Amino acid sequence: MNNYMNNFFENWQPNEGKKLVIDVDGIDYARLPVKTPVITSQDDIFKIVEQYALPHLREGDKVFLSERIVAITQGRAFPIKDIKPSWFARFLVKFVHKSPYGIGLGSPWTMELAIQEAGILRILFAAFVSAITKPFGIKGIFYIIAGKSVAAIDGPCHYTLPPYNEYAKLGPKNPNKVAKALKERFKYDFVIIDANDLGVSVLGKSDAKISDDFCKKVFRDNPLGQSTQQTPIAIVRKIMQER
């Protein structure tokens, strides 16, 4: 390992079970996890970036933000005690596949948020089409119809950092607009991403030229911390090898 890489690894450490560097189409990229305090609705996403990410940024870096912190700062996370599931929400949740990687719409609280976000007719139509296509091995139709904002909805899990282990949240509002506003302010590219162990969804980008395929490949192992790591930001940096 050359001196550059030795110094690099001394300054940055990946989250447990993750790699700091990943190969994307033959090029190495580092995903530098940025630690923050617990983010609340009282926080401002611009101030968070300025305080915790900006001091580490270099020319050519891209900043990947967990969609969760963007949504939280927009006031789109709610204590489940304050959500009153409708009859439709309690009925539809019975048909949701329960995943070990996140609750998704597998609770009446998150299903109620989905109904409020997309409308009951769209959710019912998505559920109907999903039901008739599922026997043919076609997956993901529900979220294609319901939309990315519904796919980003998540609820309380045992591994979620308190107090959000008792919250349900919507996806971020206008994520492309947020990413572009961040770039205008800080002059770096931003990506708002929903990543878990099932896959990666790109919700917002500061520049349409940033490839969704690249974002999914560089984040394919979900390097952001989902719990006590408290690393909802990653700086993605192309690794320059010494000659």
Side-chain angles (χ1 to χ4, degrees), residues 147-164:
K148 284 186 176 181
S149 62
V150 169
I153 292 172
D154 207 355
C157 296
H158 66 87
Y159 55 78
T160 304
L161 187 70
Y164 299 108

Side-chain angles (χ1 to χ4, degrees), residues 45-46 48-50 53-54 57 61-66 69-70 175-193 202-208 210 215 233-235:
I45 194 65
F46 290 88
I48 293 167
V49 169
E50 182 175 28
L54 189 62
L57 290 173
D61 286 350
K62 292 179 175 59
V63 183
F64 280 56
L65 302 176
S66 163
I69 64 165
V70 178
N176 276 320
K177 184 177 180 180
V178 173
K180 290 175 181 177
L182 286 164
K183 181 177 182 177
E184 183 176 352
R185 170 82 169 270
F186 298 111
K187 312 307 178 186
Y188 291 91
D189 275 313
F190 285 80
V191 176
I192 298 173
I193 199 155
V202 180
L203 301 186
K205 298 181 293 186
S206 58
D207 190 334
I210 302 171
C215 295
I233 303 173
I235 298 169

Side-chain angles (χ1 to χ4, degrees), residues 28 32 47 75 82 87 93 97 123 136 139 159 165 170 173 178 182 187 206 227:
D28 285 339
L32 313 178
K47 291 182 179 178
D82 295 338
W87 179 89
V93 77
H97 170 71
I123 294 297
F136 300 99
K139 298 180 180 179
Y159 55 78
N165 57 337
L170 293 163
K173 189 173 182 64
V178 173
L182 286 164
K187 312 307 178 186
S206 58
S227 183

Side-chain angles (χ1 to χ4, degrees), residues 79-99:
I80 56 174
K81 65 181 178 62
D82 295 338
I83 301 172
K84 308 302 180 186
S86 62
W87 179 89
F88 279 113
R90 294 192 299 271
F91 173 74
L92 289 171
V93 77
K94 298 176 183 179
F95 304 98
V96 176
H97 170 71
K98 306 300 191 295
S99 167

Side-chain angles (χ1 to χ4, degrees), residues 8-22:
F8 192 89
F9 279 100
E10 285 179 3
N11 295 327
W12 294 94
Q13 294 296 324
N15 283 316
E16 184 178 357
K18 307 297 181 180
K19 295 180 179 179
L20 194 67
V21 177
I22 197 168

